[in-house]
């Protein structure tokens, strides 16, 4: 059947929900066009179906399509930022990367290569799905594109700066130690947000601090509140090129049960969205939303949360690109 889409400012937007019911048809993210349906895209959404790096429950390989399926209700105007991100920038769904599930090293290379290829036209990449292992190749690509180590805000219950698991260097618990070792992070401007839960030992925190990470715990968000946290994060990041990595387990399991390593006492989806909105104007060069494992989800709770986090990230990126004249006209 023919697709009927919203078109604004010459940009091809979502399938029009007033013409074709939003529950009909196969789903791209927010019913946006596929990359091959547009001439160019300023912002690309890409899925990474990969979960070979997990230490507990598997299933994040199915995350991207779950987020897409849970994004059918996303509307084109974002009142929280007073922007229409899909009219401001051409946003398109680039489909999924084809990654080897049996060879982590090869998968990491494929992801880095694909991320570089997708951004070769100056577009910004937002990655959905996969386990946290994939942040390493995505950061490699982001820092290569930025031409410098990048700042990072890492939303997660976990530090993910552990050394190895069963002798393996590349896992979902170790990407940010590897990234520091590789010199692709600007260690003056890296911070975890939402951290909580038991650790293996105090050394985990000592190592993490030595690498340069700041920590805003889940309890800090509760006691200090969103505004104070946002001010601190903005001070730390300044106008450096910033990568944002969102592990959906940063949310309390009540808000996001569909994940592989859940920890009690997390932040709410409202807090996460409000912190993200507070980052408006920062120079976001890439973002990922990882660790969505639909087998443990209920009523699309996790999928909806992840799809809205993705929407607010797109809104921030679109707004920044528009303010700098970076979008193709
Ligand atoms: N969910 C992520 N990314 N990491 C969790 C690793 C926790 C552990 O295995 O001890
Ligand atoms: Zn985590
Ligand atoms: Zn993580």
């Amino acid at each position: 059947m023919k697709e009927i889409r919203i078109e604004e400012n010459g940009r091809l937007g979502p399938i029009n929900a007033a013409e074709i019911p939003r529950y009909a048809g196969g789903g791209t993210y927010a019913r946006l066009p596929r990359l091959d349906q547009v001439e160019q895209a300023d912002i690309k959404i890409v899925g990474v179906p990969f979960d070979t790096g997990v230490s507990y429950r598997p299933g994040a390989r199915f995350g991207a399509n779950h987020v897409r399926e849970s994004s059918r209700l996303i509307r084109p105007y974002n009142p929280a930022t007073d922007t229409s991100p899909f009219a401001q920038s051409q946003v398109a769904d680039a489909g999924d990367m084809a990654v080897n599930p049996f060879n982590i090293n090869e998968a990491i290379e494929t992801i880095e290569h694909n991320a570089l290829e997708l951004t070769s036209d100056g577009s910004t990449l937002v990655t959905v799905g996969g386990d946290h292992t994939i942040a390493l190749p995505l950061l490699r690509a982001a820092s290569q594109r930025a031409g410098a180590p990048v700042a990072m805000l890492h939303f997660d219950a976990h530090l993910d700066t552990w050394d190895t698991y069963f002798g393996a260097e590349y896992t979902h618990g170790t990407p940010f130690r590897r990234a520091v070792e590789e010199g692709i992070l600007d260690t003056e401007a890296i911070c975890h947000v939402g951290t909580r839960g038991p650790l293996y030992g105090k050394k985990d925190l000592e190592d993490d601090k030595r690498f340069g990470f700041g920590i805003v715990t889940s309890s800090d968000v509760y006691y200090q509140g969103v505004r104070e946290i946002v001010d601190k994060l903005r001070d730390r990041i300044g106008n450096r090129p910033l990568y944002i990595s969102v592990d959906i387990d940063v949310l309390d399991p009540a808000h996001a049960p569909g994940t592989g390593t859940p920890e009690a006492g997390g932040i709410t989806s409202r807090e996460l969205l409000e912190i993200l909105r507070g980052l408006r104007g920062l120079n976001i060069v890439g973002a990922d939303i990882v660790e969505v494992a639909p087998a443990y989800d209920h009523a699309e709770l996790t999928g909806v949360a992840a799809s809205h986090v993705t929407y607010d990230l797109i809104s921030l990126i679109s707004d920044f690109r528009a303010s700098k004249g970076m979008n193709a006209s």
Side-chain angles (χ1 to χ4, degrees):
M1 300 298 293
K2 191 177 177 314
E3 287 181 345
I4 305 168
R5 293 186 172 276
I6 297 169
E7 276 190 64
E8 240 182 298
N9 298 335
R11 297 193 168 96
L12 198 58
I15 290 176
N16 190 339
E19 303 273 358
I20 302 178
R22 53 178 90 254
Y23 42 83
T28 53
Y29 176 76
R31 306 177 97 208
L32 283 162
R34 296 190 314 266
L35 188 55
D36 61 9
Q37 294 176 303
V38 293
E39 271 168 35
Q40 62 77 40
D42 304 301
I43 301 172
K44 295 171 187 163
I45 320 299
V46 69
V48 182
F50 174 85
D51 64 6
T52 311
V54 300
S55 57
Y56 194 47
R57 299 167 175 173
R61 64 178 61 182
F62 299 110
N65 277 339
H66 186 61
V67 175
R68 289 188 177 105
E69 195 52 36
S70 307
S71 70
R72 289 174 176 271
L73 195 52
I74 299 264
R75 301 182 192 87
Y77 173 68
N78 187 346
T81 47
D82 185 24
T83 57
S84 299
F86 309 143
Q88 213 173 21
S89 305
Q90 180 63 62
V91 189
D93 189 324
D96 285 349
M97 294 186 187
V99 279
N100 188 335
F102 300 109
N103 185 329
I104 295 190
N105 291 347
E106 188 189 310
I108 287 173
E109 273 173 37
T110 304
I111 295 164
E112 179 183 348
H113 177 81
N114 286 346
L116 282 170
E117 203 168 79
L118 282 163
T119 53
S120 62
D121 56 0
S123 59
T124 309
L125 202 59
V126 177
T127 311
V128 271
D131 74 48
H132 226 151
T133 314
I134 72 167
L136 177 66
L138 294 169
L139 280 167
R140 285 181 187 161
S143 72
Q144 199 165 316
R145 283 275 165 251
V150 290
M152 179 177 70
L153 290 177
H154 168 220
F155 295 85
D156 201 327
H158 308 101
L159 303 168
D160 289 353
T161 50
W162 286 292
D163 192 4
T164 56
Y165 283 76
F166 291 81
E169 286 179 287
Y170 302 107
T171 76
H172 79 153
T174 57
F176 303 120
R177 182 184 289 233
R178 296 291 93 80
V180 170
E181 289 168 352
E182 292 181 19
I184 57 181
L185 287 176
D186 180 341
T187 53
E188 301 280 297
I190 48 178
C191 192
H192 309 291
V193 184
T195 322
R196 62 190 188 273
L199 299 170
Y200 298 97
K202 205 174 170 119
K203 184 167 179 296
D204 297 350
L205 292 170
E206 291 160 2
D207 287 350
D208 191 81
K209 193 168 181 189
R210 184 160 42 82
F211 301 145
F213 282 94
I215 295 186
V216 172
T217 65
S218 178
S219 304
D220 290 338
V221 177
Y222 175 70
Y223 286 112
Q224 294 168 26
V226 167
R227 287 215 171 89
E228 203 174 313
I229 300 297
V230 163
D231 289 345
K232 283 186 186 163
L233 297 178
R234 294 186 71 103
D235 273 357
R236 200 169 182 108
I237 303 306
N239 57 9
R240 296 171 168 94
L242 170 67
Y243 187 89
I244 299 183
S245 186
V246 180
D247 181 329
I248 206 65
D249 72 29
V250 70
L251 298 180
D252 191 88
H255 293 256
T259 196
T261 42
E263 311 280 349
I267 65 174
T268 65
S269 43
R270 181 175 56 209
E271 287 165 334
L272 177 56
L273 291 172
E274 286 300 322
I275 294 174
L276 291 175
R277 288 166 189 163
L279 304 178
R280 189 166 189 177
L282 298 189
N283 179 8
I284 303 171
V285 297
D288 64 58
I289 301 91
V290 296
E291 299 286 346
V292 174
Y296 319 100
D297 203 8
H298 304 275
E300 290 187 329
L301 292 179
T302 316
V304 168
S307 76
H308 282 250
V309 167
T310 307
Y311 182 63
D312 270 280
L313 285 168
I314 292 169
S315 301
L316 291 176
I317 294 168
S318 170
D319 186 59
F320 178 77
R321 290 184 63 100
S323 75
K324 298 288 172 201
M326 289 164 74
N327 289 333
S329 50

